[in-house]
Amino acid sequence: MTTVSDMLGAISDVGRDSVRGGYSRPVFSMAELELREWFTAEATKLGLEVSTDRNGILWGWWDAESGDRTGALVTGSHLDSVPGGGAFDGPLGVAAALAAVDVLKERGVEPRRGLAVTVFPEEEGSRFGVACLGSRLLTGAIDADRVRNLKDPAGNTFADVSRAHGLDPKHLGRDEEALRTIGDFIELHVEQGRALIDLDSPVGVGSSILGHGRWRLTVQGQGNHAGTTLMADRADPMVVAAQIVLAIRRTAASQDDARATVGRLQPVPGGTNVIASRVDLWLDVRHPDDSVTAALVESIHGQAQKAAAFEGCSVTLTEESFSSTVHFDAPLQRQLQNSLRRTTSEHQVPALPTGAGHDAGVLAGYVPSGMVYIRNPTGISHSPEEFVEDTDANLAASALADVLEDLL
Ligand code: GLV
Ligand code: MN
Ligand code: MN
């Protein structure tokens, strides 16, 4: 039997980023395509029937005797990463799903309904800017036309890139047939904080996902020469951007439970001896109450406009995505906790809220969905320091198998 740690070991060289450290595996990059091939090979070895749907989601099917796929049990995660990300965010859930199928087969389980393992594309939104793009397309939570026109940093549209990888962009969007096959969705994931470490528990279940969104602020100024332009004569968007970053920190820090981040900022044209003509910065805001998030963004926009006007610049704000707070299906959550007591020898299994977005959060608006978290001793994620001990990675397979067996 191939263990989860063996599987993760087999892909540990794919998409390593020698500049940033960790892994950079954007959707439809060489690295992500190699991981898709790895998934197909592993799933095929397990006897699953693998296909790619019209939104680029990979499915590995273990059919019930009836062959009816309606209302199946579906589990999976993603294989793309943030730039310079860790080895576990996404791949742990995929590897655990494959290993769990192996465990169930070893246990002699005959599925009474179909079981599928899925891989969702562009969960991180690190290439086309919108996170959970695959699950948003599948459910129709995002307009397909908008997705076709999304551009990556090199200016390629999602339509062109997906076409180059065998999809027909005309057929992107809500997929009723695929949706009907999902009876329940379970995503196993590395924990992205310290809760399980502090509670001394190897596993937990998801209770909620914090509402979150992404906005782009574009500061327009006057590009000019760094040597010949007097300080008093400048309209420098970088100076405005710096003030916006500080305003964001101040604004979020003054609001309980708020998180706001600028993790990406791009001066145009970006030369050492060039005053930028434009700076784009991306704002990530999260809060349990959507109206508070809206007020925070409005306040940040107001402060940005003031800073821009003072410098002789202008600023525009564009919402790129938004997801309301999600509360996972309570009966399913309790059922997961009960099943996981088997894995943890009757210890209480904590239910955790998280500030991280997941495809399970998008799917929760359409089908009963749940999450299983695996302890991360560093408590760090979206960073090369994200970590899971081999024993916990392998426990993930039996934990997920326990959950799936009960749900089947
Ligand atoms: C995805 O991991 C997110 O929370 O942005
Ligand atoms: Mn993830
Ligand atoms: Mn992530």
Side-chain angles (χ1 to χ4, degrees):
M1 184 180 289
T2 315
T3 64
V4 173
S5 53
D6 288 341
M7 282 195 237
L8 294 176
I11 56 172
S12 63
D13 286 333
V14 182
R16 272 197 193 272
D17 191 323
S18 59
V19 176
R20 302 179 178 101
Y23 295 92
S24 292
R25 297 161 164 172
V27 69
F28 296 133
S29 63
M30 298 273 281
E32 202 244 11
L33 293 170
E34 191 176 336
L35 293 178
R36 283 169 177 261
E37 278 170 25
W38 162 81
F39 172 83
T40 301
E42 290 296 320
T44 305
K45 258 196 259 168
L46 288 169
L48 306 183
E49 188 192 312
V50 181
S51 56
T52 307
D53 72 15
R54 54 196 177 86
N55 292 308
I57 302 164
L58 277 167
W59 297 76
W61 277 98
W62 180 11
D63 283 314
E65 207 176 40
S66 67
D68 183 8
R69 291 181 173 177
T70 314
L73 179 56
V74 181
T75 183
S77 193
H78 59 100
L79 293 170
D80 66 309
S81 78
V82 294
F88 302 93
D89 178 355
L92 179 67
V94 175
L98 292 168
V101 167
D102 208 3
V103 170
L104 293 176
K105 291 199 167 191
E106 280 273 314
R107 288 182 188 169
V109 170
E110 301 275 349
R112 285 187 297 275
R113 54 174 167 154
L115 173 63
V117 179
T118 47
V119 177
F120 288 94
E122 184 69 327
E123 192 273 350
E124 299 288 6
S126 54
R127 181 161 181 185
F128 290 95
V130 180
C132 299
L133 202 59
S135 52
R136 287 187 209 261
L137 278 167
L138 164 68
T139 55
I142 192 167
D143 179 57
D145 244 348
R146 198 188 143 209
V147 176
R148 283 187 271 272
N149 291 309
L150 287 174
K151 286 191 177 145
D152 70 5
N156 306 300
T157 63
F158 190 83
D160 286 344
V161 173
S162 60
R163 188 185 295 109
H165 295 291
L167 300 183
D168 183 342
K170 272 203 309 289
H171 295 142
L172 293 170
R174 186 173 162 99
D175 186 340
E176 296 291 349
E177 198 185 328
L179 266 176
R180 264 198 302 277
T181 65
I182 311 178
D184 303 276
F185 180 72
I186 308 295
E187 181 167 1
L188 179 140
H189 206 277
V190 60
E191 204 219 339
Q192 299 179 284
R194 296 203 43 87
L196 293 176
I197 289 295
D198 294 344
L199 294 164
D200 195 25
S201 175
V203 297
V205 304
S207 59
S208 64
I209 294 182
L210 204 58
H212 55 283
R214 297 181 182 187
W215 290 261
R216 186 180 70 248
L217 285 145
T218 296
V219 188
Q220 202 73 49
Q222 177 59 59
N224 214 331
H225 194 291
T228 61
T229 317
L230 297 179
M231 299 315 282
D233 293 343
R234 298 179 180 212
D236 185 345
M238 187 55 100
V239 171
V240 179
Q243 292 173 73
I244 295 174
V245 171
L246 295 175
I248 288 167
R249 161 59 78 95
R250 265 195 317 271
T251 308
S254 66
Q255 175 69 55
D256 279 350
D257 294 331
R259 291 135 209 217
T261 308
V262 175
R264 186 173 156 217
L265 182 150
Q266 199 172 303
V268 178
T272 306
N273 55 352
V274 180
I275 298 167
S277 58
R278 188 180 97 218
V279 175
D280 291 318
L281 54 156
W282 282 265
L283 168 64
D284 178 309
V285 183
R286 307 187 187 214
H287 190 275
D289 181 337
D290 295 349
S291 65
V292 173
T293 303
L296 288 168
V297 173
E298 198 183 313
S299 162
I300 289 164
H301 188 204
Q303 295 175 74
Q305 282 173 316
K306 260 198 205 141
F310 192 78
E311 179 70 16
C313 294
S314 62
V315 65
T316 55
L317 175 86
T318 310
E319 181 180 301
E320 295 199 334
S321 62
F322 185 74
S323 306
S324 293
T325 293
V326 166
H327 295 278
F328 286 114
D329 185 81
L332 181 57
Q333 183 188 312
R334 277 192 298 277
Q335 193 169 346
L336 299 186
Q337 283 172 298
N338 282 336
S339 300
L340 289 169
R341 281 200 194 105
R342 265 209 278 163
T343 325
T344 60
S345 326
E346 298 301 316
H347 283 102
Q348 285 301 322
V349 176
L352 309 176
T354 181
H358 299 287
D359 291 304
V362 173
L363 290 168
Y366 303 84
V367 293
S369 300
M371 292 197 69
V372 176
Y373 296 119
I374 300 296
R375 156 169 76 187
N376 167 3
T378 66
I380 292 174
S381 188
H382 284 185
S383 154
E385 286 144 83
E386 177 182 280
F387 191 60
V388 175
E389 299 282 0
D390 281 353
T391 44
D392 284 348
N394 295 331
L395 179 85
S398 45
L400 190 58
D402 291 343
V403 161
L404 298 176
E405 186 173 355
D406 290 349
L407 286 169
L408 273 172

